Amino acid sequence: MRTSYVRFFFFIVLSIYFYSCDDQETTPLTNTQTPVTLTQEAPPRRFMETITRRLRVRETPDLEGTVLHILSDGVLVEFLYDSTNFTTEIIYNRKTYNAHWYKIQTEEKIEGWVYAAFVQFLPKEQNQKVVIQRETAELLEAANEERPEFTKKQQKQMQEPVNEGSITNYKNYLANLDRSNPNSIGQAINRFTTLFINHTNENTRDAAYIAFHNFYTNVLKTLQNSTNMNQYQHLATEIKRYQRATMQSDAFTRSLAANGINFGLKNGQVVLAEDVDFLYRVFYRECSIPMRAYMNQYQLEVPNFWLDNETLLIAPKELARWTLSWNYFVATYPDFVWHADAKRRLDKQLNILLQGTEKTPAFDPQTYILKAEFLQAYRHITDNYPESKIGRTFTEYVQTLKRNDWKMSSTVTEAQNKVLRLLVL
């Protein structure tokens, strides 16, 4: 299975998924619709979103089926191309429904049946984006010792040297741009296109993208420090609801949007944030396979403000998934031009996974006992990837914790340092 994921990623995940999407697929299935059926031998992956607060995933497609899992509103599930040829009538919130059942798989790999009236298929473009992210995450999260299979052409491309002269010229150009002007980002992109697209190898384009991203980050920081955000705080509700806000308020916001900067929420306040989707659209196709994998993981992390003021804003289990991804990435692409940055991300996330943060400690400050949510994160690694290096390392760490009654001690600290030595150093 892992080998097939590797092959699938390198030969399919970067392709465009062509399939037809009926208008009916964006609405819940009712008694006037027919169930979705398998129409091809290798169908594209399809995702649906739940549209009710407590959707039961059942073992069988009926109201008496054992409940395997309960999904909240807005959760993505994967359609397994199986649906009933009969409908079930129910009354919910004083409304009568008569719909089929869909077989689905949750992100936790739980397979079961859901009532079709309470899910809706994602629109084509959104589904395509989810497919790419999921395939990349699954590849990276495999965290095994197996190296990807590259074609001879890909292997040769990955070994080509960076054109340092071109990179130096580009950096000099960026150094002379006005970092207080968002339009400088557009100028930097235009110069990237002129110098590197169709003229250099992928490794050189990767190095140029790194130079651009460093410049982009500095422009964003400059604008964050110089922009009066009070006039945009009314957009907080819109961002909470749609994860984005209109960028058509005035000439300044239109300029921001055109150059890859948008609004985000941090501690409930509207702030200027990186538009990762913008960067993805501009640079993704021009970069190497390792850089694309890097960008996919980066895209999951950056917009979420997952760590703020020493407070962990995501569940430790989600952090474990990210750590698995970076662990696999670092081991798989040792010659990647941004390898040091990927290793830094792995080191940071591993430290937080092992120790927590000042405001979200892994061990209870009063009892010094490991918190349950952190143990759950470790178990996600050990249960799903027991034969990988990271799986074996965390298995040993969990055994040390158990021998110490799950309490912080000098022995546990030594075990943490060993985890870092084995996986990072």
Side-chain angles (χ1 to χ4, degrees):
M1 177 63 74
R2 291 171 179 164
T3 301
S4 65
Y5 271 131
V6 173
R7 290 172 176 164
F8 188 81
F9 173 75
F10 291 117
F11 296 103
I12 297 180
V13 75
L14 303 179
S15 303
I16 299 176
Y17 294 82
F18 293 102
Y19 57 88
S20 61
C21 287
D22 296 336
D23 291 339
Q24 292 176 334
E25 291 175 351
T26 60
T27 58
L29 191 66
T30 67
N31 61 327
T32 62
Q33 297 173 293
T34 56
V36 178
T37 56
L38 185 64
T39 58
Q40 49 185 312
E41 293 182 2
R45 296 180 71 173
R46 301 282 301 283
F47 288 88
M48 300 181 288
E49 185 178 23
T50 60
I51 52 175
T52 188
R53 289 183 298 175
R54 290 178 60 81
L55 179 61
R56 292 169 175 80
V57 181
R58 296 184 181 274
E59 187 174 17
T60 55
D62 53 71
L63 297 176
E64 288 71 45
T66 302
V67 176
L68 304 175
H69 195 59
I70 296 179
L71 300 168
S72 57
D73 188 21
V75 173
L76 296 182
V77 296
E78 184 169 3
F79 176 53
L80 297 182
Y81 282 88
D82 197 1
S83 59
T84 60
N85 57 9
F86 60 85
T87 61
T88 301
E89 182 174 300
I90 68 169
I91 298 176
Y92 180 71
N93 282 348
R94 300 182 181 179
K95 185 176 180 180
T96 300
Y97 297 87
N98 191 11
H100 299 270
W101 295 80
Y102 287 154
K103 190 171 186 181
I104 59 92
Q105 183 182 71
T106 70
E107 190 174 1
E108 294 79 11
K109 307 302 181 186
I110 299 172
E111 292 187 11
W113 296 83
V114 295
Y115 194 63
F118 300 131
V119 291
Q120 63 183 11
F121 284 95
L122 297 182
K124 182 177 179 179
E125 291 184 2
Q126 185 180 353
N127 186 81
Q128 179 181 328
K129 181 177 178 179
V130 171
V131 168
I132 292 175
Q133 291 177 340
R134 288 291 178 92
E135 293 293 350
T136 303
E138 287 163 0
L139 169 71
L140 295 175
E141 192 174 293
N144 54 39
E145 314 243 331
E146 184 178 333
R147 293 186 63 81
E149 297 176 3
F150 297 107
T151 65
K152 290 183 178 179
K153 181 180 179 181
Q154 289 169 337
Q155 289 176 335
K156 183 178 179 180
Q157 288 175 341
M158 293 177 67
Q159 294 170 356
E160 291 179 348
V162 172
N163 186 328
E164 297 294 348
S166 295
I167 299 302
T168 299
N169 289 337
Y170 186 52
K171 288 181 177 179
N172 290 337
Y173 174 80
L174 296 178
N176 291 318
L177 294 177
D178 182 4
R179 296 184 180 183
S180 64
N181 185 351
N183 292 318
S184 294
I185 296 173
Q187 293 175 279
I189 292 173
N190 290 336
R191 181 55 66 97
F192 177 94
T193 302
T194 301
L195 292 178
F196 301 105
I197 296 180
N198 298 325
H199 299 296
T200 56
N201 60 58
E202 288 182 340
N203 286 341
T204 300
R205 291 200 293 273
D206 284 354
Y209 172 71
I210 294 171
F212 165 82
H213 194 271
N214 290 336
F215 170 77
Y216 171 93
T217 302
N218 288 328
V219 172
L220 177 58
K221 289 180 180 178
T222 300
L223 293 171
Q224 287 171 334
N225 292 331
S226 62
T227 303
N228 180 5
M229 296 302 298
N230 292 332
Q231 58 187 315
Y232 302 115
Q233 294 305 314
H234 66 282
L235 297 172
T237 301
E238 184 178 342
I239 298 173
K240 287 179 182 177
R241 184 171 183 178
Y242 301 109
Q243 286 75 56
R244 297 184 72 89
T246 178
M247 299 298 288
Q248 301 298 316
S249 301
D250 49 46
F252 177 66
T253 57
R254 288 191 290 272
S255 176
L256 291 175
N259 292 284
I261 296 175
N262 60 17
F263 293 128
L265 280 182
K266 189 173 184 180
N267 290 334
Q269 297 295 306
V270 177
V271 296
L272 295 183
E274 184 172 339
D275 188 345
V276 183
D277 288 344
F278 174 90
L279 301 180
Y280 194 105
R281 291 192 302 270
V282 172
F283 293 98
Y284 190 82
R285 289 179 298 176
E286 310 307 329
C287 295
S288 68
I289 288 172
M291 181 61 84
R292 292 170 188 171
Y294 175 97
M295 291 172 72
N296 275 308
Q297 183 61 26
Y298 185 86
Q299 188 182 37
L300 292 176
E301 298 176 19
V302 171
N304 296 322
F305 291 112
W306 61 276
L307 183 64
D308 185 53
N309 254 353
E310 288 299 308
T311 300
L312 186 62
L313 302 181
I314 59 172
K317 185 176 179 181
E318 182 66 14
L319 182 62
R321 292 191 180 106
W322 293 1
T323 303
L324 282 163
S325 297
W326 288 121
N327 173 76
Y328 179 77
F329 186 94
V330 166
T332 303
Y333 304 114
D335 299 321
F336 176 54
V337 293
W338 223 351
H339 187 265
D341 184 79
K343 202 170 183 180
R344 178 184 61 81
R345 292 178 182 277
L346 171 62
D347 182 47
K348 179 178 180 179
Q349 292 181 9
L350 266 176
N351 271 285
I352 295 175
L353 195 59
L354 293 168
Q355 302 171 3
T357 65
E358 181 181 342
K359 295 182 180 178
T360 313
F363 294 82
D364 185 278
Q366 305 298 323
T367 64
Y368 303 104
I369 294 177
L370 182 71
K371 293 181 179 178
E373 57 265 33
F374 280 86
L375 177 58
Q376 183 184 39
Y378 306 157
R379 290 275 165 80
H380 174 74
I381 298 173
T382 59
D383 291 350
N384 290 290
Y385 312 103
E387 300 305 319
S388 68
K389 183 177 180 180
I390 190 172
R392 295 193 300 270
T393 302
F394 266 88
T395 295
E396 183 178 343
Y397 177 59
V398 170
Q399 290 171 348
T400 300
L401 286 167
K402 187 175 181 180
R403 288 194 297 270
N404 285 266
D405 297 323
W406 310 104
K407 283 189 174 183
M408 173 53 76
S409 66
S410 58
T411 303
V412 170
T413 300
E414 290 175 7
Q416 291 177 345
N417 292 333
K418 184 177 181 180
V419 171
L420 294 172
R421 284 198 305 273
L422 289 173
L423 300 178
V424 181
L425 300 180

